[in-house]
Amino acid sequence: MSADLTRLTAAELATKIHSRDVSAVEVAQAHLDRIAAVDGSVHAFLHVAGEAALESAALVDASLDAGTAPASPLAGVPLALKDVFTTSDMPTTAGSRILEGWRPPYDATVTARLRAAGITILGKTNMDEFAMGSSTEHSAYGVTHNPWDLGRVPGGSGGGSAAALAAYEAPLSIGTDTGGSIRQPAAFTGTVGVKPTYGGVSRYGLIACASSLDQGGPCARTVLDAALLHEVIAGHDPLDSTSIDSPVPGVVEAARLGATGDLSGVRVGVVKELGGEGYQAGVRASYEDALARLEKLGAELVEVSCPHFEYGLAAYYLILPSEVSSNLARFDAMRYGLRVDKGASAEEVMAATREVGFGPEVKRRIILGTYALSSGYYDAYYGQAQKVRTLISRDFAAAFTKADVLVSPTTPTTAFPIGDKVDDPLAMYLNDLATIPTNLAGTAAMSVPSGLADDGLPVGLQIMAPALGEAAMYRVGAAFEAARNAAQDGPLIHRVPEVTA
Ligand code: GLN
């Protein structure tokens, strides 16, 4: 019974819970058992909140038993939360030693919305420190293993949130995407990950990496599940000044429409600059197969050119460190978490704490950003990068006059072995080649499983949409998912090897 419940989708679990076929407590317990059985091998979680999860599930059961309508379509369904959102009842570390032992005094808006929706929060997931990284190897608390091959990374920075899905520890999770941290782990684990339009999901209580790029979003094993979660967490929040004050796109309806499989009349832009040279052969093959499949569904494929995308990586790795160098100044040993009491002055205590509390990648970016912003260099680095950002937004705007959505492979390669790139920052950064333009432009994008490469590992198809154009993206994603499932005899994720303890 337990094992079966963890194999169901969030939508299926919700139906069973709301019809009182199973209780929310049974569902929570099944997932907690699964975590206990496999997380020693996967290490997706930094904190498991067993008791709180069961209590919250019991409240959902009591209210359903009393005949009250479910608080949301996902009431009673378990979820894993990236450890970068504040939780008043659980530690929040952002994967950093500097926040070890910190208990936030408040819930992030995303956390609060999950609770209000009756979703069971199972715990907090592992991530690269302050969301900087593409492998989860930069976590201060150990690496997360990819359930497809425990010797490989699950991607990052949200590797824990993606691995929890692929290991059947949770049917839903939340990630954040600053340069690809939802989409790249989704691609590496054969799951679905969505980066909403910037401002679509509140950043209140999301520990900042780069504030002009950060965006929380839903992760799941199916497009419909992601859509259901999207509608729970999205929407205007007066506590976030960059939150968009307009209706949330109807993504659930779009996903249901897409699942019927017809894409006639939809124009899919194939980005000329992405998916060619430099991409693993198996990734390219899967991408070509995906394009053929979209065409067969009735979509009209149009080639579009985004000539400035090639400067995206360079611009991002100036803008992000610049914002990081400012945002992380708040970790001063006085207000949160770690404090190394070494030295006579406040400055010495700060320096000693930051020396011990930050890992090498975080230090690298603080130094890079401080340099890029310094007087005499600002115009040459930060200023230039901002101009590139504008040019990339214009590339998107032009492309979206010709196409409703754009596509590319999500990543240049499949999941790489643990240890392969951790000492080579440039090789690590190249993971983000195809995902970064979307963050720079503030538009929306998702990764859906597009098959297995010749190495037997999952490949992701990236679908990009204009700002607030999520409905089209979910429609195409769901149609593609349905076609793939039909062609390969069920969802790809069912083929993930059983994790051995
Ligand atoms: N891998 C990218 C980086 O290291 C993206 C991180 C993210 O999206 N948070 O910055």
Side-chain angles (χ1 to χ4, degrees):
M1 177 70 161
S2 264
D4 289 342
L5 289 175
T6 64
R7 295 267 147 176
L8 301 181
T9 68
E12 289 164 349
L13 286 169
T15 303
K16 277 182 172 293
I17 294 167
H18 301 169
S19 67
R20 312 309 291 134
D21 191 12
V22 291
S23 70
V25 167
E26 279 174 279
V27 171
Q29 190 60 57
H31 287 88
L32 291 170
D33 291 347
R34 176 75 185 163
I35 293 169
V38 301
D39 210 52
S41 303
V42 178
H43 192 45
F45 285 85
L46 292 179
H47 180 80
V48 179
E51 223 169 282
L54 292 171
E55 273 169 29
S56 131
L59 286 176
V60 170
D61 284 333
S63 130
L64 290 172
D65 285 340
T68 314
S72 79
L74 292 172
V77 178
L79 170 142
L81 181 58
K82 189 176 182 181
D83 199 23
V84 71
F85 288 94
T86 57
T87 40
S88 57
D89 59 346
M90 292 174 224
T92 301
T93 67
S96 182
R97 196 60 74 197
I98 211 156
L99 280 178
E100 193 166 10
W102 182 53
R103 282 279 172 149
Y106 69 105
D107 274 341
T109 295
V110 163
T111 310
R113 290 196 178 169
L114 295 171
R115 293 197 209 276
I119 290 172
T120 308
I121 303 176
L122 295 168
K124 309 289 291 284
T125 56
N126 198 16
M127 56 183 284
D128 285 296
E129 186 174 5
F130 289 108
M132 296 175 216
S134 308
S135 68
T136 323
E137 291 167 291
H138 294 309
S139 167
Y141 304 101
V143 64
T144 298
H145 300 260
N146 190 325
W148 287 86
D149 175 347
L150 296 176
R152 290 177 187 264
V153 302
S157 66
S161 285
L165 300 172
Y168 291 97
E169 295 171 292
L172 297 172
S173 61
I174 298 278
T176 60
D177 194 311
T178 303
S181 282
I182 287 175
R183 290 164 285 159
Q184 183 252 18
F188 278 15
T189 57
T191 59
V192 177
V194 178
K195 182 249 175 243
T197 302
Y198 181 78
V201 173
S202 171
R203 288 184 301 110
Y204 180 72
L206 161 60
I207 296 174
C209 176
S211 308
S212 77
L213 300 160
D214 296 342
Q215 189 57 211
C219 311
R221 289 190 292 259
T222 71
V223 173
L224 176 62
D225 283 1
L228 289 163
L229 184 55
H230 192 126
E231 291 194 3
V232 166
I233 58 173
H236 182 242
D237 177 14
L239 298 174
D240 171 0
S241 62
T242 59
S243 166
I244 298 172
D245 191 1
S246 64
V248 177
V251 294
V252 172
E253 194 191 328
R256 291 198 203 277
L257 172 68
T260 61
D262 181 25
L263 290 182
S264 31
V266 178
R267 297 167 306 162
V268 172
V270 181
V271 182
K272 201 172 104 192
E273 288 79 7
L274 300 174
E277 217 180 302
Y279 287 69
Q280 189 181 318
V283 170
R284 284 214 309 259
S286 173
Y287 180 50
E288 265 150 39
D289 178 69
L291 293 178
R293 222 173 272 282
L294 288 167
E295 206 164 24
K296 236 172 108 188
L297 286 166
E300 183 197 339
L301 299 188
V302 288
E303 191 184 80
V304 298
S305 175
C306 296
H308 300 96
F309 279 16
E310 70 169 293
Y311 308 110
L313 197 75
Y316 171 89
Y317 278 102
L318 285 166
I319 292 168
L320 176 136
S322 299
E323 295 189 25
V324 159
S325 71
S326 159
N327 272 333
L328 269 58
R330 66 174 63 105
F331 299 104
D332 57 5
M334 304 296 147
R335 287 177 285 189
Y336 330 87
L338 185 75
R339 175 175 192 149
V340 178
D341 265 317
K342 227 163 70 187
S345 67
E347 233 168 44
E348 281 167 349
V349 172
M350 281 179 210
T353 304
R354 287 166 69 89
E355 166 59 26
V356 175
F358 288 143
E361 183 62 25
V362 169
K363 286 179 185 157
R364 179 181 295 123
R365 296 206 195 183
I366 291 174
I367 291 166
L368 269 174
T370 308
Y371 184 78
L373 291 177
S374 56
S375 142
Y377 296 101
Y378 183 97
D379 288 339
Y381 294 114
Y382 185 74
Q384 286 291 94
Q386 290 292 18
K387 287 180 188 160
V388 170
R389 192 169 187 176
T390 302
L391 293 172
I392 286 175
S393 294
R394 287 188 192 156
D395 278 359
F396 270 115
F400 286 128
T401 62
K402 301 193 183 111
D404 304 303
V405 297
L406 310 181
V407 290
S408 79
T410 307
T411 56
T413 69
T414 54
F416 47 90
I418 291 170
D420 239 26
K421 299 187 178 176
V422 70
D423 296 323
D424 185 350
L426 221 51
M428 193 70 94
Y429 299 167
L430 282 170
N431 271 284
D432 312 326
L433 209 59
T435 47
I436 276 174
T438 293
N439 301 82
L440 289 173
T443 46
M446 75 197 297
S447 181
V448 290
S450 89
L452 299 180
D454 44 355
D455 55 10
L457 293 166
V459 178
L461 172 70
Q462 178 172 234
I463 307 169
M464 298 166 267
L468 294 178
E470 275 95 337
M473 177 176 96
Y474 272 93
R475 180 180 168 199
V476 173
F480 179 71
E481 175 186 63
R484 271 238 55 114
N485 290 353
Q488 78 205 351
D489 204 19
L492 194 76
I493 193 70
H494 288 177
R495 294 201 225 158
V496 70
E498 182 51 42
V499 176
T500 44

